[in-house]
């Protein structure tokens, strides 16, 4: 492993400049920063100031957006950063466009909080990374994974609604074609088939496309469900708002089950019955897996599954 003197000579800068690149204590031009990082990757240089601490890179689609604080990724990111810090690790949050800045001498493990579409776009780059990689709620050959059992969550909601006399149950998912969406839809169809219930055509409802989502929700309501399961943390409040805007009373006109928003769902009117994938627990399990990968990089890739549970509040009407 090269030392700081070798790196400084290769880049034609002072040792102080190299130090500033890694500490961020003073401004360095982007051109010099890029040159130093590229050389550090080539020489497998690891900064002295982080020799005693391991750095986890969290790669996201784009930098956090305050307008999407209730989305799954934003909430999980907050919990994951807390867990990384609590374990005395360093963390670096990188938008996916900055993947070239990752190198093995500095980053000991990578957590991907990326959509499946973005992972596919950068599949070759991600597969070529030399450090351990962990994904959440998605599985790839190049990474280990921690996954919530989303099918279990939908089954728990359906059982709760069925026990309360509901037979026309609708579902929306925030994505049809990612792993979570497929698990939810498979569980929905399997339950309806097993209980001889009519399948109401599911629709995609996403906070990224409110106008189209609201139109699809209106079409779904024309199928006259007595209950709706709205899957996805980011859509819980938009769905509730749109139902209120349409004059639909919860639960008098329509029973509603959403995904849990900790600190929010229980304060809504009515208090929302929710599917909870326990994001703090998911973050803790994710960081625990990262630590294991850092300490034992030879560990075979594996998938760890976490349970969901149903929080019963007041948004489901008893029809029996």
């Amino acid at each position: 492993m090269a030392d700081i003197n070798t790196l400084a000579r290769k880049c034609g800068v002072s040792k102080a400049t190299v130090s500033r690149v890694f500490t961020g204590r003073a401004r360095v031009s982007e051109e010099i920063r890029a040159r130093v990082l590229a050389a550090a990757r080539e020489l497998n240089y690891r900064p002295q100031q982080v020799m005693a601490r391991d750095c986890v890179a969290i790669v996201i689609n784009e930098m956090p957006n305050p307008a999407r604080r209730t989305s799954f990724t934003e909430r999980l990111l907050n919990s994951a950063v807390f867990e990384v810090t609590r374990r005395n690790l360093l963390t670096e949050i990188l938008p996916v466009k900055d993947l070239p800045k990752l190198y093995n001498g500095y980053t000991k493990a990578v957590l991907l909080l990326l959509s499946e579409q973005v992972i596919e776009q950068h599949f070759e780059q991600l597969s070529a990374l030399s450090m351990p990689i962990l994904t959440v709620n998605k599985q790839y050959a190049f990474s280990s994974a921690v996954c919530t059992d989303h099918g279990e969550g939908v089954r728990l909601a359906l059982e709760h609604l069925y026990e309360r006399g509901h037979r026309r149950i609708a579902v929306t998912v925030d994505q049809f074609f990612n792993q979570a969406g497929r698990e939810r839809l498979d569980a929905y169809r399997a339950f309806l088939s097993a209980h001889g219930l009519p399948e109401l055509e599911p629709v995609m409802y996403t906070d990224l496309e409110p106008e189209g989502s609201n139109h699809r929700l209106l079409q779904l309501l024309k199928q006259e469900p007595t209950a709706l399961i709205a899957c996805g943390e980011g859509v819980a409040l938009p769905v509730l708002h749109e139902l209120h805007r349409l004059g639909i009373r919860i639960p008098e006109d329509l029973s509603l089950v959403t995904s849990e928003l900790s600190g929010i769902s229980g304060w809504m009117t009515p208090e929302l019955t929710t599917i909870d994938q326990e994001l703090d627990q998911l973050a803790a399990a994710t960081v625990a897996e990262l630590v294991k990968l850092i300490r034992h990089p030879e560990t075979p890739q594996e998938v760890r599954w976490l349970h969901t549970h149903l929080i019963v509040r007041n948004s489901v009407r008893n029809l029996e």
Side-chain angles (χ1 to χ4, degrees):
M1 181 183 295
D3 61 17
I4 191 171
N5 295 301
T6 303
L7 180 59
R9 284 196 300 271
K10 181 175 180 62
C11 297
V13 299
S14 68
K15 291 192 296 183
T17 298
V18 171
S19 179
R20 286 197 295 271
V21 168
F22 290 101
T23 62
R25 290 176 183 163
R27 183 172 177 79
V28 177
S29 74
E30 190 58 34
E31 186 273 331
I32 290 177
R33 172 180 162 81
R35 190 197 319 163
V36 170
L37 289 176
R41 284 193 293 274
E42 180 183 339
L43 298 173
N44 196 26
Y45 170 76
R46 190 178 184 197
Q48 186 66 36
Q49 58 266 34
V50 299
M51 286 291 285
R53 299 177 68 187
D54 293 314
C55 180
V56 172
I58 303 178
V59 182
I60 57 179
N61 290 353
E62 55 189 17
M63 293 310 288
N65 182 351
R68 302 196 67 228
R69 289 195 181 105
T70 60
S71 73
F72 168 79
T73 300
E74 298 284 342
R75 293 173 77 87
L76 180 60
L77 175 62
N78 290 336
S79 294
V81 169
F82 171 80
E83 282 295 323
V84 168
T85 304
R86 187 176 70 82
R87 290 174 176 267
N88 198 34
L89 302 171
L90 295 174
T91 183
E92 182 178 20
I93 300 174
L94 290 176
V96 69
K97 66 180 179 63
D98 288 339
L99 270 179
K101 293 181 180 179
L102 290 177
Y103 69 98
N104 195 52
Y106 179 66
T107 303
K108 299 305 290 290
V110 179
L111 172 60
L112 299 182
L113 297 185
L114 301 171
S115 67
E116 292 184 0
Q117 180 181 12
V118 171
I119 289 178
E120 292 298 332
Q121 291 171 354
H122 297 271
F123 191 88
E124 193 170 323
Q125 275 181 292
L126 294 169
S127 299
L129 292 177
S130 58
M131 63 285 289
I133 303 173
L134 189 71
T135 53
V136 178
N137 289 341
K138 47 189 70 71
Q139 299 171 58
Y140 291 93
F142 59 73
S143 70
S144 293
V146 177
C147 298
T148 299
D149 190 341
H150 291 98
E152 178 185 46
V154 169
R155 287 192 297 274
L156 291 172
L158 288 165
E159 289 169 1
H160 178 67
L161 292 166
Y162 188 83
E163 289 169 359
R164 281 150 183 77
H166 292 273
R167 299 296 183 265
R168 295 188 62 80
I169 305 170
V171 65
T172 70
V173 295
D174 50 359
Q175 291 291 333
F176 272 174
F177 304 112
N178 63 10
Q179 178 173 312
R182 293 190 296 269
E183 291 173 5
R184 286 161 168 159
L185 291 175
D186 287 347
Y188 173 70
R189 289 166 176 148
F191 185 93
L192 298 186
S193 176
H195 291 78
L197 302 181
E199 179 183 331
L200 307 187
E201 187 64 30
V203 302
M204 189 169 74
Y205 193 104
T206 170
D207 59 327
L208 299 176
E209 189 202 357
E211 185 175 345
S213 294
N214 288 335
H215 174 74
R216 290 190 291 271
L217 178 62
L218 186 59
Q219 299 305 307
L220 180 62
L221 294 174
K222 290 180 180 179
Q223 300 179 62
E224 299 183 345
T226 64
L228 171 65
I229 304 171
C231 300
E233 285 81 5
V235 306
L237 297 184
V239 165
L240 183 63
H241 177 270
E242 181 62 12
L243 293 173
H244 282 321
R245 193 187 70 81
L246 293 171
I248 296 173
R249 299 171 301 166
I250 309 296
E252 293 86 355
D253 301 327
L254 181 72
S255 291
L256 179 64
V257 179
T258 68
S259 294
E260 170 71 359
L261 292 172
S262 178
I264 297 177
S265 299
W267 293 98
M268 303 306 295
T269 302
E271 300 95 337
L272 296 174
T273 292
T274 58
I275 301 167
D276 187 11
Q277 63 172 316
E278 299 186 66
L279 292 189
D280 287 342
Q281 177 186 334
L282 178 60
T286 297
V287 175
E289 289 297 311
L290 284 169
V291 171
K292 183 169 72 174
L293 292 171
I294 290 172
R295 302 289 180 260
H296 307 284
E298 73 286 352
T299 300
Q301 292 169 358
E302 60 181 356
V303 179
R304 179 178 175 185
W305 289 91
L306 302 181
H307 291 292
T308 56
H309 73 277
L310 192 71
I311 301 176
V312 177
R313 298 192 180 100
N314 299 318
S315 60
V316 172
R317 180 186 174 195
N318 194 338
L319 298 184
E320 292 187 335

